[in-house]
Amino acid sequence: MTDTDRPALAIGLRILSGVLAAGMFVAVKAVSGDIPLGEIVFFRSFFALVPLVVFLWLRNEFPGGLATKRPFDHLLRASFGALALFSSFAALARLNLSEAILIAQLAPMLTAIAAVVLLSERLTPWRVGGLALGFAGVLVLVWPELGAGTVDAARVLGVGCALVSAALTAFALIMVRRLNKTESPGAIAFYFVIASMLAALLTLPWGWVWPQGPTLIYLIAAGLFGGCTHIAMTLSFRYAEASRLAPFEYIALLWPLLADLFVFRLPVAASFIVAAPLVLAGAAVAASERRKRPVTAP
């Protein structure tokens, strides 16, 4: 076993990244009723820089590793990522944590479909089937409102924001694939955080409030959790292949579900219980294609 082949450590880091992400989502949801969306994004991005810069410095990638010959590609990736962050936090304000994170599971499936259009990759039955199952799960999630004829506008808007976030994340991931060929992961993450901060500052004229006490602590925690999430996930892929870690991505849905039950005291809807297996099955179908090895000629 080499230093870069440590599956137990990689799995532990991947699970840790899910716990840290859940901490960020809890902090964001806790302040979403009192703090403007743009301000939340700013605090999340600003304080994410603290662990991220320390991590890059320890890897001797700061500031030298931030040099790039592809500024436009970074701008495009960062723009998609920043918009995805805005729409994701808007969804969190209107949905249960578990519901918003469940819809976010569509992002890898949408990435596979987007790669067909943008990267000329093959359209396979695995990708189509996974996406169909995923969207069936989302339909089940919102069907109680649509079928009853009494639409909860806020909830439907939340689902729409979550879907937009998943789509934007898919485009951002496509750009990450392109950038990873020549750029360091640290530089990709750094420019995304900077773009999110700048985009958030544009919302200042619409009114920010001065956070105090627990609200300020939640905002700072959102940023620190967000930065540490990226570090843990980056390190996990250093020590094991993505295909080995794929099954553990689904564990990340458990933490928001527990937060809904024990932190926010929100009941689990019957539609979620039916929708979750469909979405996760779609993700598993899409992931199974990556784990299949190509057949070589004798």
Side-chain angles (χ1 to χ4, degrees), residues 233-291:
M233 185 175 294
T234 298
L235 289 175
S236 70
F237 288 112
R238 178 182 180 182
Y239 295 118
E241 296 177 347
S243 58
R244 180 173 287 185
L245 296 175
F248 298 94
E249 294 180 14
Y250 312 136
I251 297 177
L253 186 61
L254 174 63
W255 318 122
L257 181 60
L258 293 176
D260 279 339
L261 291 173
F262 299 108
V263 177
F264 298 107
R265 306 291 182 180
L266 298 173
V268 179
S271 58
F272 176 86
I273 296 174
V274 179
L278 287 171
V279 175
L280 295 181
V285 167
S288 66
E289 180 192 22
R290 298 197 299 269
R291 291 196 294 270

Side-chain angles (χ1 to χ4, degrees), residues 65-85:
L66 303 180
T68 179
K69 296 180 179 179
R70 302 172 64 183
F72 178 76
D73 286 346
H74 275 290
L75 176 63
L76 198 58
R77 178 268 181 267
S79 299
F80 282 133
L83 291 171
L85 196 62

Side-chain angles (χ1 to χ4, degrees), residues 169-252:
T169 299
F171 284 114
L173 290 173
I174 289 293
M175 292 306 304
V176 169
R177 282 194 194 181
R178 290 181 175 180
L179 287 166
N180 269 333
K181 296 177 182 178
T182 59
E183 308 291 297
S184 74
I188 297 172
F190 182 84
Y191 290 124
F192 157 61
V193 171
I194 295 298
S196 299
M197 285 176 54
L198 295 176
L201 283 174
L202 294 177
T203 69
L204 189 59
W206 281 270
W208 284 16
V209 298
W210 185 257
Q212 296 180 352
T215 300
L216 179 60
I217 293 174
Y218 279 128
L219 287 170
I220 295 173
L224 296 177
F225 278 131
C228 292
T229 296
H230 174 80
I231 293 170
M233 185 175 294
T234 298
L235 289 175
S236 70
F237 288 112
R238 178 182 180 182
Y239 295 118
E241 296 177 347
S243 58
R244 180 173 287 185
L245 296 175
F248 298 94
E249 294 180 14
Y250 312 136
I251 297 177

Side-chain angles (χ1 to χ4, degrees), residues 6-18 232 236 245 248:
R6 303 170 66 180
L9 176 59
I11 291 169
L13 287 168
R14 184 63 189 90
I15 294 174
L16 175 62
S17 72
S236 70
L245 296 175
F248 298 94

Side-chain angles (χ1 to χ4, degrees), residues 88-110:
S88 173
F89 288 177
L92 284 173
R94 295 164 175 84
L95 298 174
N96 290 3
L97 277 181
S98 53
E99 293 171 339
I101 304 309
L102 178 65
I103 298 174
Q105 298 296 323
L106 292 175
M109 295 175 257
L110 290 170

